[in-house]
Amino acid sequence: TRFMTGFSSSLASVSSQLRGVVGLEIHAQIHATSKLFACSRVAFCSPPNSSVAFLDASLPGTLPVLNRRCVEAAVITGLALNCTINRKSLFDRKHYFYADMPAGYQITQQRLPIAVNGSLIYSYFGGRKRNQVLSRCVRIKQIQLEQDSGKSLHDDQRSQTLIDLNRAGVGLMELVMEADMSCGDEAAAAVRELQLILQTLGTCQGNMSEGQLRVDANVSVHCPGEPLGVRTEVKNINSARYVARAIDYEIQRQKKVLENGGIIVNETRAFDSKSGTTIPMRDKEGLQDYRFMPEPNLPPLFVYEDEASVPAGVNPTQVVMIDRLKAELPELPGVRRARMVDQYKILPEHSFTLVNEDGLTEYFERVVRNTKAEPRKVIGWVMKELLGNLNQQSLKLAQSPVSPEALADLLNVLESGHISSSAAKVVFQEMWKAPEKAVEQLVKELDLGLVSDREKLLKICQKVVDTHPEQV
Amino acid sequence: MLSLSIGEVSAALRKGRLSATELCRRCLNRIRKTRHLNAYITVTEDLAMKQAQEAELRLTRGKPLGPLDGIPFSVKDNFCTENIETTCASHMLRGYFPPFSATVVQKLLDQGAVLVGKTNLDEFAMGSGSTDSVFGPVRNPWSYSVSYREQSREQDPDSDWVIAGGSSGGSAAAVASLSSFMALGSDTGGSTRNPGSLCGLVALKPTYGLLSRHGLIPLVNSMDVPGIMTRTVHDAATVLDVLQGRDEKDSTTVESAYSPSSLPEEFDVRDICVGVPKEYHAPGMSAETLAQWGRVVALFERAGARVKEVSLPHTQHSIVCYHVLCCCEVASNMARFDGLQYGHRSKVDSSTEALYATTRHEGFNSVVRSRILAGNYFLLKQNYDRYFVKAQQIRRLITEDFRRVFQSGVDVLLTPTTLSDAARYSDFIQEDNRTRSAQEDIFTQPVNVAGLPAVTVPTALSSRGLPISLQLIGQSFQDMKLLTVANWMEQQLDFPIIRFHDDTDQERECKLGS
């Protein structure tokens, strides 16, 4: 027994030293009018098989034609993520049989992708009270262009599979994030930051529930300093809030397995949101050999630095130029956050929330523009009163009954000394309920106006004194 | 009339000496009469007559669309034709009606040419005899020619008929039997030139990237080209001019730097240098083919052209390199045939995998299946470097061989097209498809490996009364220059027009002069 106790306690101490190692493979649907190699429309929620080009259905004799917008989206995304853009990249065929992949192969970029060696800086609320903004960096291994597959629905009752090819051939950017993360929170924050960046760039709408952004996690555990453990792949993470849960569950599961003396199997597991656990997926007949082969119908893809580097005989309007795209990059979230702190002297935590919530920065800045009140005062109202109400009633910012101008009005009234700050809070709640009423009107109705006229004040005081002789 | 060139018959149409509908009707009658050749899979009678009527209207108004307006043509059944069955001579695509036409087909139709039918081929263009089709083999029209029958000891043509070559045998038979004035074939390892040679036609394999492959059901994407079959070099040039050019639907097409639209008026053969590659003296080449080769070399020399022996040292590796790359691409290209979206679907439906397996087993013949298996083997991760990459490296060496020779001042190369004249079907099928392909493609496939243009020109009849032809190989995107030399060569040779016993005097002697 002493041996057993010693053994299990040493296992337990091993387990407590085990740390998670998390990498991510993210598929981002490119925001474009048409698909990667065909001119069928990219449509969400269209009737099944209503947006299928001949190529998407793999009709024999069809050939892929590269969509320029998709190349630009990949370059823009690569630039925003500090990647090296490969001036030459190649397309390959990845072969496997599946009903939603009509050609029997996917066109991807296995040998030489369009962008490599980038990085993503992300922040998240950490620390003991989770109110500290912590900053981390994850390396981006590569970004590659590839085709999305169609969708298959298994109808077990009738022993049939229904195929919808609307999604077949839509352009994807596959982003590979190195295993630089250690837990669910970090991974979730990295995903969130990527989502924000892609939405800011306009290269991907990033909606996970609509499948525009799909996250697979590679998870393993090890003791720091020792070699990496066997990893599993976790799929079927269908929303941002499941990213952390799925990964943390898997880390815990692996720790428990090792704690009990077991070993981790290299396998693919699906996240089951109902139970919050990961389940092994159906074994894909052992190791898959994808028989990669260069795509013979697509010559190498060249992108050029600038017009000067475009070779003679090539029409400059027919090529992608990096400097043009660089010049058009919008303000990225990280830059915006820093600017907000710098320009408005607000706290980093507040800046983080402002940039994190869709449209909140714009809201805040509109209020600031329309009011005499200092931004530092405005931020308090936005963080507490506005966000508080929205969260309480599960509303999105766009549904806020109080517009930025209305809030600015309120703050102006407060600044002028016409009402007290506690009164202002009351007025805000009334504004929320009755957005059609102007601030001044509400102040009057509620009789919350501060009196500052000396004469009037004297009269009131006198009245109070007169009506309460005993106290006086 | 049917043996006229496109140039001649087009002139007759424009001058009103002949009507487009009459011409079409004659071709359709000819198809019916030559059914025993099995050249056609689908005959588009109604469509052809309709197109001929439209052409006639334009011609009578004096507004032809071009030199091909009203000219009957046929298309190998691996080119997609909108709403016309396209089978690739395989069970897999029986009943498949494409919703679009191949670019090269559309270009011909846009010029007013009249489509009379889809022609027979080796299944999925795999073969060199047009003997492996689910519709049965194609017979070479020369099997029934006066020249062959006269020297044949057999009374019954059904016992000693000869093959048309492959894989575009049906297209060649159509043009050689005079039921079409031109035909589209495809050429991956010689599939247009081989049957062209055995059927005594002019068959052009253009430079890779000059003609669009959109709508051509692929065999080897990196080597396939649409091929042009006609009875004269001038006709081939006319068709080439219509078909060449960049297609935005095909990313492997290029706008060639300078692309003349016709053969030059003036040509002096003394300006050119003809190369004769010594490695092309292959064992198995017939004595008569060798003799013709020598004869034409002498022709060039006597006329004042420079002729020199050259070396293409990697020729011996070409056939293996070709087969490895061909199988790899085939395995990939055939992966889409699973019975789900189109084509044959097996009745077995116990699982998706079972459906795939039986569909593909039922749909493909053994030639196709064996190439798929070989290709998948070569593409396995553990084999990829040793087979696929190695073959691509050899490919580059072969391409360099040609480039070096052309750089040394050679304008064209002169070689045989096939080892001999057409074999008897009964002899040809003694060996399997793979063996025959390896043998017969020997002179033609290095050209595909290197992406160059080449044309076969008939030179003379053999002692068996069958065509012997020679091949000219040109430089990349110098297709018109190649045809210029071929045109000169054709004029020196005066190859006979095919004659059948049942030709009426009227048909034979009808020469509507220009």
Side-chain angles (χ1 to χ4, degrees):
Chain A
T1 40
R2 207 151 45 112
F3 170 75
M4 286 307 290
T5 318
F7 183 56
S8 57
S9 72
S10 76
L11 278 177
S13 67
V14 160
S15 169
S16 65
Q17 285 167 26
L18 287 169
R19 294 281 175 270
V21 176
V22 181
L24 298 176
E25 267 167 37
I26 299 174
H27 289 90
Q29 258 187 10
I30 297 173
H31 185 40
T33 317
S34 52
K35 298 186 182 177
L36 183 55
F37 295 117
C39 50
S40 35
R41 303 256 132 188
V42 175
F44 179 72
C45 272
S46 290
N49 295 311
S50 58
S51 186
V52 183
F54 299 148
L55 178 89
D56 303 330
S58 79
L59 294 194
T62 50
L63 299 168
V65 180
L66 184 55
N67 179 338
R68 181 201 184 124
R69 158 65 185 161
C70 291
V71 178
E72 290 178 345
V75 172
I76 290 168
T77 303
L79 289 171
L81 294 173
N82 308 305
C83 293
T84 302
I85 305 297
N86 281 330
R87 303 294 186 261
K88 171 174 147 175
S89 61
L90 304 169
F91 290 99
D92 304 289
R93 293 186 181 181
K94 177 180 181 183
H95 298 89
Y96 62 94
F97 285 100
Y98 205 72
D100 62 17
M101 181 81 55
Y105 59 83
Q106 174 200 36
I107 302 179
T108 178
Q109 292 190 299
Q110 188 245 4
R111 284 170 294 157
L112 196 55
I114 188 155
V116 292
N117 295 338
S119 61
L120 169 69
I121 297 174
Y122 63 94
S123 315
Y124 66 107
F125 282 116
R128 259 189 321 121
K129 291 192 202 150
R130 297 177 85 101
N131 58 356
Q132 258 186 298
V133 176
L134 302 175
S135 196
R136 292 268 187 279
C137 180
V138 59
R139 289 166 299 158
I140 309 281
K141 178 166 181 237
Q142 65 188 53
I143 302 176
Q144 66 201 50
L145 284 167
E146 59 184 36
Q147 294 174 301
D148 208 346
S149 65
K151 283 202 187 138
S152 47
L153 294 147
H154 300 291
D155 181 357
D156 289 318
Q157 265 192 340
R158 293 197 202 86
S159 297
Q160 63 182 9
T161 302
L162 305 168
I163 314 282
D164 177 11
L165 294 178
N166 280 347
R167 201 183 67 180
V170 169
L172 293 176
M173 294 181 286
E174 179 178 321
L175 289 112
V176 181
M177 289 188 185
E178 302 273 29
D180 295 340
M181 296 161 282
S182 64
C183 66
D185 279 342
E186 288 183 5
V191 169
R192 178 63 191 137
E193 186 67 10
L194 178 67
Q195 215 177 13
L196 278 173
I197 292 174
L198 294 173
Q199 286 164 347
T200 306
L201 295 173
T203 56
C204 170
Q205 291 173 290
N207 194 322
M208 280 185 78
S209 61
E210 289 182 13
Q212 292 162 347
L213 192 70
R214 311 201 280 262
V215 177
D216 296 331
N218 293 318
V219 182
S220 67
V221 295
H222 77 145
C223 292
E226 284 181 23
L228 293 176
V230 173
R231 70 165 198 227
T232 61
E233 196 185 358
V234 180
K235 282 173 142 12
N236 201 42
I237 302 170
N238 291 337
S239 86
R241 68 182 180 281
Y242 293 151
V243 172
R245 282 183 64 194
I247 291 169
D248 284 334
Y249 172 83
E250 180 60 17
I251 291 174
Q252 281 310 112
R253 185 193 74 83
Q254 290 193 14
K255 280 184 179 174
K256 277 207 196 93
V257 166
L258 292 174
E259 198 180 302
N260 291 326
I263 55 161
I264 306 298
V265 175
N266 171 234
E267 60 180 351
T268 305
R269 300 178 70 91
F271 176 66
D272 174 42
S273 52
K274 285 204 191 85
S275 59
T277 66
T278 64
I279 323 170
M281 280 176 83
R282 205 158 32 105
D283 184 62
K284 284 183 185 168
E285 295 124 42
L287 287 167
Q288 270 272 32
D289 191 325
Y290 292 113
R291 289 161 283 127
F292 285 99
M293 185 184 92
E295 169 55 67
N297 292 316
L298 292 170
L301 170 63
F302 287 98
V303 299
Y304 299 94
E305 189 66 56
D306 49 32
E307 190 153 352
S309 51
V310 177
V314 177
N315 187 346
T317 62
Q318 291 294 309
V319 301
V320 170
M321 284 181 273
I322 296 174
D323 62 348
R324 299 266 163 92
L325 298 173
K326 216 182 246 176
E328 288 164 8
L329 283 177
E331 182 183 52
L332 293 177
V335 174
R336 174 170 288 193
R337 279 189 210 104
R339 176 173 70 81
M340 302 303 282
V341 169
D342 201 51
Q343 190 177 341
Y344 300 111
K345 312 282 183 272
I346 58 177
L347 293 172
E349 302 87 85
H350 292 157
S351 159
F352 186 74
T353 305
L354 272 186
V355 174
N356 211 40
E357 301 288 331
D358 284 329
L360 196 56
T361 309
E362 287 72 28
Y363 189 104
F364 169 74
E365 288 191 298
R366 265 167 77 183
V367 176
V368 166
R369 265 202 302 280
N370 285 302
T371 183
K372 293 185 290 267
E374 270 185 34
R376 265 188 300 194
K377 274 215 183 113
V378 176
I379 196 73
W381 282 87
V382 169
M383 292 289 136
K384 287 210 281 291
E385 269 64 44
L386 176 68
L387 275 186
N389 276 22
L390 289 173
N391 289 337
Q392 212 178 47
Q393 296 169 31
S394 295
L395 293 173
K396 290 213 193 92
L397 179 61
Q399 297 166 293
S400 162
V402 175
S403 72
E405 286 73 24
L407 178 54
D409 274 346
L410 176 62
L411 292 177
N412 286 338
V413 171
L414 175 57
E415 274 309 289
S416 68
H418 193 46
I419 53 174
S420 71
S421 81
S422 49
K425 290 187 180 140
V426 174
V427 174
F428 183 85
Q429 296 307 332
E430 291 307 307
M431 284 163 70
W432 196 271
K433 286 184 234 156
E436 71 282 2
K437 293 193 180 163
V439 174
E440 286 74 12
Q441 183 188 357
L442 280 169
V443 168
K444 257 210 193 101
E445 277 179 20
L446 298 165
D447 194 27
L448 289 169
L450 283 174
V451 180
S452 49
D453 184 303
R454 209 158 182 248
E455 290 290 320
K456 271 202 182 143
L457 282 170
L458 269 171
K459 271 203 186 132
I460 293 169
C461 293
Q462 193 62 54
K463 197 167 174 203
V464 172
V465 164
D466 289 345
T467 47
H468 295 85
E470 323 82 52
Q471 284 87 340
V472 174
Chain B
M1 180 204 306
L2 296 182
S3 60
L4 292 175
S5 70
I6 293 174
E8 289 165 340
V9 80
S10 177
L13 287 171
R14 272 177 280 127
K15 291 196 175 128
R17 295 204 195 133
L18 176 62
S19 82
T21 48
E22 175 62 26
L23 182 62
C24 181
R25 212 169 292 128
R26 295 251 186 145
C27 284
L28 293 173
N29 285 341
R30 187 108 190 119
I31 295 176
R32 258 176 250 124
K33 257 179 83 175
T34 54
R35 237 199 302 266
H36 53 280
L37 298 177
N38 205 20
Y40 290 85
I41 294 173
T42 302
V43 182
T44 49
E45 277 206 33
D46 293 339
L47 179 69
M49 283 313 297
K50 181 166 160 296
Q51 289 170 352
Q53 275 153 15
E54 287 165 9
E56 191 159 295
L57 266 173
R58 289 187 294 265
L59 287 159
T60 47
R61 282 191 199 134
K63 290 193 163 96
L65 289 168
L68 298 181
D69 206 338
I71 307 293
F73 75 106
S74 53
V75 170
K76 186 175 181 182
D77 209 19
N78 62 351
F79 284 88
C80 290
T81 41
E82 188 174 348
N83 293 329
I84 300 169
E85 192 178 13
T86 301
T87 67
C88 293
S90 173
H91 282 306
M92 192 56 94
L93 287 177
R94 291 198 67 171
Y96 174 60
F97 288 77
F100 67 97
S101 285
T103 297
V104 291
V105 172
Q106 193 58 51
K107 280 186 169 182
L108 292 175
L109 294 172
D110 289 344
Q111 283 289 306
V114 174
L115 178 65
V116 294
K118 305 296 294 295
T119 57
N120 204 355
L121 60 153
D122 282 301
E123 179 164 340
F124 276 109
M126 299 185 205
S128 57
S130 297
T131 52
D132 278 306
S133 156
V134 297
F135 299 104
V138 177
R139 298 190 182 191
N140 190 326
W142 286 86
S143 310
Y144 302 89
S145 68
V146 170
S147 56
Y148 181 66
R149 296 252 55 86
E150 263 171 6
Q151 59 73 48
S152 166
R153 285 192 209 118
E154 309 287 335
Q155 292 288 19
D156 177 13
D158 285 337
S159 65
D160 72 344
W161 58 270
V162 295
I163 59 168
S167 60
S168 312
S171 282
V175 177
S177 65
L178 313 181
S179 63
S180 286
F181 284 82
M182 56 187 172
L184 287 179
S186 66
D187 197 311
T188 307
S191 290
T192 294
R193 289 161 288 155
N194 174 299
S197 165
L198 300 186
C199 292
L201 301 173
V202 172
L204 171 67
K205 174 214 168 291
T207 306
Y208 181 89
L210 190 59
L211 267 59
S212 170
R213 291 181 298 111
H214 168 76
L216 167 59
I217 297 174
L219 175 61
V220 183
N221 286 287
S222 65
M223 297 190 207
D224 290 351
V225 295
I228 297 169
M229 290 180 175
T230 54
R231 291 191 289 267
T232 72
V233 174
H234 216 280
D235 289 350
T238 305
V239 178
L240 176 64
D241 179 46
V242 168
L243 296 184
Q244 69 183 346
R246 188 172 131 65
D247 182 7
E248 61 177 27
K249 296 196 187 104
D250 178 353
S251 305
T252 61
T253 54
V254 296
E255 199 77 67
S256 63
Y258 170 59
S259 187
S261 56
S262 61
L263 299 177
E265 300 277 321
E266 308 277 315
F267 172 68
D268 190 343
V269 75
R270 290 171 298 181
D271 289 336
I272 66 146
C273 174
V274 179
V276 180
K278 65 183 189 197
E279 290 85 3
Y280 279 55
H281 284 265
M285 177 163 50
S286 76
E288 286 183 297
T289 302
L290 183 59
Q292 284 300 313
W293 195 8
R295 171 187 165 223
V296 176
V297 167
L299 255 171
F300 276 106
E301 271 175 331
R302 272 202 306 275
R306 277 163 296 137
V307 178
K308 68 178 193 178
E309 187 185 71
V310 297
S311 174
L312 300 169
H314 296 93
T315 301
Q316 52 171 320
H317 304 300
S318 186
I319 193 74
V320 174
C321 162
Y322 170 78
H323 267 282
V324 169
L325 294 177
C326 177
C327 290
C328 290
E329 287 227 31
V330 163
S332 178
N333 291 334
M334 298 295 148
R336 66 188 59 212
F337 296 106
D338 54 19
L340 292 191
Q341 277 79 22
Y342 46 81
H344 173 67
R345 183 196 279 213
S346 156
K347 297 229 182 352
V348 170
D349 59 359
S350 48
S351 71
T352 314
E353 282 74 25
L355 176 66
Y356 284 173
T358 28
T359 294
R360 289 161 70 78
H361 189 83
E362 291 166 3
F364 292 136
N365 71 4
S366 62
V367 178
V368 178
R369 295 199 312 266
S370 63
R371 292 200 196 185
I372 292 172
L373 278 168
N376 278 324
Y377 176 78
F378 297 142
L379 289 176
L380 288 174
K381 208 163 162 182
Q382 76 242 35
N383 295 331
Y384 181 77
D385 284 339
R386 274 185 303 140
Y387 289 97
F388 184 87
V389 174
K390 199 67 162 190
Q392 292 286 20
Q393 290 167 334
I394 302 291
R395 182 176 189 175
R396 181 183 293 282
L397 291 177
I398 292 168
T399 310
E400 294 279 288
D401 278 359
F402 281 104
R403 206 177 43 81
R404 222 177 301 116
V405 160
F406 286 124
Q407 252 177 2
S408 75
V410 168
D411 295 293
V412 294
L413 297 167
L414 178 67
T415 77
T417 313
T418 48
L419 288 168
S420 66
D421 57 2
R424 286 203 283 190
Y425 174 74
S426 49
D427 292 331
F428 185 78
I429 56 172
Q430 296 298 318
E431 298 279 4
D432 65 37
N433 183 296
R434 193 183 171 305
T435 307
R436 287 299 185 209
S437 295
Q439 291 166 346
E440 301 300 326
D441 288 346
I442 190 101
F443 302 124
T444 50
Q445 42 74 21
V447 172
N448 299 83
V449 166
L452 300 170
V455 62
T456 179
V457 181
T459 57
L461 293 182
S462 70
S463 58
R464 288 163 73 215
L466 297 170
I468 296 181
S469 310
L470 294 177
Q471 169 178 243
L472 285 167
I473 304 172
Q475 290 169 272
S476 258
F477 296 105
Q478 306 272 354
D479 299 54
M480 273 303 177
K481 178 175 168 188
L482 173 69
L483 289 179
T484 305
V485 178
N487 189 42
W488 179 88
M489 188 175 134
E490 178 189 60
Q491 283 162 354
Q492 314 310 310
L493 295 168
D494 200 26
F495 181 80
I497 293 172
I498 193 172
R499 284 167 53 225
F500 302 98
H501 278 298
D502 52 5
D503 278 350
T504 62
D505 287 331
Q506 186 189 24
E507 280 175 354
R508 213 177 335 131
E509 279 149 30
C510 186
K511 262 206 181 317
L512 296 161
S514 42

